[in-house]
Amino acid sequence: MQRKFIIIGMDDNRTPFFPPEVLEHIRQGKVFSGGVRHKEIVGGLLPDDAIWISITVPLDNVFAQYEKALMRNEKVLVQDESVFTRDEKVLVQNESVSTRDEKVLIQNECVSTQHKKASTTSGTVRNGTEDNNPAGQIIVFASGDPLFFGFANTVRRKLPDAAITLYPSFNSLQVLAHRLVMPYDDMRTVSLTGRPWHEFDRALIERAPKIGILTDREHTPAAIATRMLEYGYRHYTMYVGEHLGNPGKERILRMTLEEAALGTFEHPNNLLLCACYPGEANGQACHECVYSPLPARPFGIPDKLFAHLDGRARMITKAPIRLLTLQALELNRRRVFWDVGFCTGSVSIEARLQFPHLTVVSFEIRAEGEELMNINSRRFGAPGITAIIGDFLQAETGTLPRPDAVFIGGHGGHLPEMLMKIKEVLLPGGCVVFNSVSAESRQAFAEGAEAAGMELQPSVRIALNDYNPIEIMKAVSPEMKVVSS
C-alpha cells in the first residue's frame, strides 16, 4: 500500500479556518500528527478515536511511529477485504440458487451490502478507483507553508515514494511582511530552526539588504542580534513577530540590534532584518524606508590591519600572496576548506569573506592563535570559522567535514606527515596548496605529495618587495575512478 500524507498548513489562530475539503479529511481521518501547539489548536476537531503522533526530535522515531500506525491500519484493511471477498462468494452461491429461493437471495444480498459498506469505510479499492482511505494515510498539521522549510520536505526526503496532498497557508515570514506592509520579493530567507548559523552568516557576509529568519529556542532574536553586533553587522533594523495569527497574543516589534540583544521574546517568533535605521523612516510606514548602503565587503585585506602574533607583522601570508593562494585553491568550486597553521587567520578570513558558501576549518598549534582568530574574524566580519588549537598531527578529525581544499600555512618540519594525514580525508579531486620559501621545503612538499599518491601541478613563483621569493605549489588528489561492470 502506498503511504499517503495529507499535510495541512495553519497559523497560530486558536479558531482556525479550514475549507470544507480539509474538514472532510479531518472527519474521515484516523491517524493525525503535528506539534504540541498544533494539537492544542485542532484537538477539538479530531474524531473521538483519533490517533495522534507528536512531531518531536529525533524525527526517525516519529517516522517509525508512522510506519507502525500505517501497518496496523493496513492489517485492519486486509481483514476487511477478506470479509468482503468471502461475502461476495456467498452472494454468488446464493445467486446461483435464486430461482429456487428468491427470499434467501434477498436476505443474503442485504448481508453482503452491509459488508460492502464496512469495507468501503476501510478504504477498499473498487473498479480501479480509490475512495477516501483513512487506513492508508496520515494527516499532518504543519505551520504555514509545509514546503517552506517545512515538514513536507522532510516527508519527501524520508519517504520519496509517498503520495502527498498539500493544503498550504501563508508562511510566517509572509505574514510578518503583510503585517508590516513590506514587499518581500527581494527578501533573502534563512531558517535557523534546528540548523547551524552557516546560511545566516553567509547572508550577512554577502550583504543581503533584507533577510527573513525562522528562529528556534536557541537561535532567538536576542542571540541573532548579539552575533550580528559581535561581528560588526550593525546596519540593520530588526522586526520581530510573536504568535503570528493568534489574535490574543500576536505582537510586532521594531527595534535596533542593541535593543534586541537585551530583549526577551515569546516563542514562536520570527524576524525580518532590514538594512535601514528606524530614524530613516521618519515615522513613515516601513515599506517607505530607504535602504542604508552596507559597507563594502573587504577584499585583499591590508596586512597591517590584522592583529599579529606577538606584534610580528611579517608572520602573515601577505595580501597579494594570499589572493594568489586562494586562486590556486579554486575555492569558488570547493565546499570545505581546511587551513592548517593559520597563525593570524588571514587566509581563513579572506577565504570566508570571498567565498561565503565555504565551510572553513582552521588549525593552529600555538595557543595564541585562538585569540588572534577571535580578534581578526570579528574585526573583519567573518563569522563561522571553526578554529582548532593544537598539533594538527594529533588532532581528531573524524567528526569534521572532509575537505576538498587544504592550505598548509605552517608545517614545523613535518610536511610529509601532514600530507599523509591530509590524504586520508581529502575528497577525490581535492587539492593541497603550500607556499614554499626554500629549496628544502619545496623538495619536501614534492616528495610528500608523491608519497601520498597526489599529482603535483605546475607551480607559480613570485617575488614581493624585499621578501624572499615564494613558490605557490599545488598537489591534487586523484579523481575517483568508476569501474564498469
Side-chain angles (χ1 to χ4, degrees), residues 19-158:
E21 185 178 352
V22 170
L23 292 174
E24 183 62 23
H25 281 306
I26 295 173
R27 279 193 291 269
Q28 296 290 334
K30 178 69 173 177
V31 182
F32 298 84
S33 187
V36 174
R37 181 166 51 92
H38 300 131
K39 186 179 182 182
E40 291 174 355
I41 296 173
V42 303
L45 300 176
L46 305 183
D48 292 339
D49 61 346
I51 298 170
W52 182 270
I53 299 173
S54 292
I55 298 176
T56 57
V57 293
L59 289 178
D60 286 344
N61 291 348
V62 176
F63 279 82
Q65 292 181 67
Y66 288 168
E67 282 301 310
K68 288 181 181 178
L70 289 169
M71 291 298 292
R72 185 165 57 247
N73 287 340
E74 186 174 357
K75 185 179 293 185
V76 171
L77 176 62
V78 170
Q79 290 172 348
D80 285 341
E81 285 179 334
S82 299
V83 172
F84 178 63
T85 304
R86 188 165 59 247
D87 286 321
E88 273 191 323
K89 290 180 180 178
V90 172
L91 175 61
V92 170
Q93 291 171 353
N94 284 316
E95 283 178 337
S96 66
V97 297
S98 61
T99 55
R100 293 200 307 268
D101 196 342
E102 202 170 291
K103 185 176 181 180
V104 173
L105 169 63
I106 293 172
Q107 291 173 343
N108 285 310
E109 280 184 333
C110 290
V111 172
S112 177
T113 301
Q114 290 173 349
H115 284 296
K116 278 186 179 181
K117 185 176 181 180
S119 182
T120 299
T121 305
S122 299
T124 310
V125 178
R126 296 291 293 159
N127 299 323
T129 61
E130 184 177 357
D131 50 22
N132 197 1
N133 176 16
Q137 72 186 22
I138 293 176
I139 298 175
V140 180
F141 295 95
S143 297
D145 182 349
L147 285 176
F148 184 74
F149 299 104
F151 197 72
N153 298 329
T154 305
V155 174
R156 293 184 66 206
R157 184 175 67 253
K158 289 186 171 291

Side-chain angles (χ1 to χ4, degrees), residues 306-310 312 314-317 339-349 362-374 376 389 409-410:
F306 284 91
H308 294 276
L309 181 66
D310 298 329
R312 290 180 282 174
R314 297 175 74 92
M315 290 284 290
I316 189 173
T317 302
D339 180 7
V340 181
F342 65 75
C343 191
T344 63
S346 65
V347 173
S348 295
I349 290 168
S362 306
F363 302 84
E364 175 56 50
I365 195 169
R366 288 167 287 216
E368 305 94 314
E370 183 173 16
E371 183 180 3
L372 285 176
M373 181 64 85
N374 286 337
N376 288 325
I389 304 301

Side-chain angles (χ1 to χ4, degrees), residues 97-328:
V97 297
S98 61
T99 55
R100 293 200 307 268
D101 196 342
E102 202 170 291
K103 185 176 181 180
V104 173
L105 169 63
I106 293 172
Q107 291 173 343
N108 285 310
E109 280 184 333
C110 290
V111 172
S112 177
T113 301
Q114 290 173 349
H115 284 296
K116 278 186 179 181
K117 185 176 181 180
S119 182
T120 299
T121 305
S122 299
T124 310
V125 178
R126 296 291 293 159
N127 299 323
T129 61
E130 184 177 357
D131 50 22
N132 197 1
N133 176 16
Q137 72 186 22
I138 293 176
I139 298 175
V140 180
F141 295 95
S143 297
D145 182 349
L147 285 176
F148 184 74
F149 299 104
F151 197 72
N153 298 329
T154 305
V155 174
R156 293 184 66 206
R157 184 175 67 253
K158 289 186 171 291
L159 298 172
D161 295 329
I164 299 175
T165 302
L166 290 177
Y167 295 93
S169 180
F170 286 121
N171 69 63
S172 59
L173 290 176
Q174 287 178 304
V175 174
L176 180 55
H178 294 163
R179 300 291 192 268
L180 296 168
V181 196
M182 178 190 291
Y184 57 88
D185 54 313
D186 58 345
M187 179 173 66
R188 178 84 165 262
T189 57
V190 174
S191 176
L192 290 175
T193 305
R195 292 173 168 86
W197 290 104
H198 184 80
E199 287 302 318
F200 174 64
D201 294 341
R202 180 177 179 178
L204 292 179
I205 293 170
E206 292 177 349
R207 295 346 191 223
K210 186 186 292 180
I211 310 172
I213 304 170
L214 301 176
T215 64
D216 63 17
R217 295 184 186 277
E218 177 184 350
H219 302 92
T220 64
I224 291 167
T226 298
R227 188 174 183 85
M228 295 175 71
L229 293 171
E230 189 176 338
Y231 286 91
Y233 292 94
R234 302 174 175 275
H235 302 78
Y236 288 88
T237 297
M238 181 179 286
Y239 301 86
V240 180
E242 298 176 342
H243 298 286
L244 294 175
N246 186 333
K249 290 187 174 182
E250 180 174 297
R251 186 170 67 149
I252 309 295
L253 303 170
R254 173 181 179 167
M255 53 185 55
T256 66
L257 296 180
E258 289 79 5
E259 291 169 337
L262 299 175
T264 56
F265 303 88
E266 293 190 13
H267 192 82
N269 60 62
N270 64 8
L271 63 91
L272 289 172
L273 294 169
C274 237
C276 58
Y277 291 110
E280 291 179 315
N282 296 320
Q284 298 178 346
C286 173
H287 65 280
E288 299 179 20
C289 178
V290 178
Y291 288 144
S292 295
L294 291 166
R297 195 190 319 180
F299 177 74
I301 304 170
D303 303 337
K304 64 181 180 181
L305 298 183
F306 284 91
H308 294 276
L309 181 66
D310 298 329
R312 290 180 282 174
R314 297 175 74 92
M315 290 284 290
I316 189 173
T317 302
K318 308 301 182 292
I321 306 299
R322 194 185 314 140
L323 297 181
L324 285 171
T325 299
L326 299 186
Q327 184 273 332

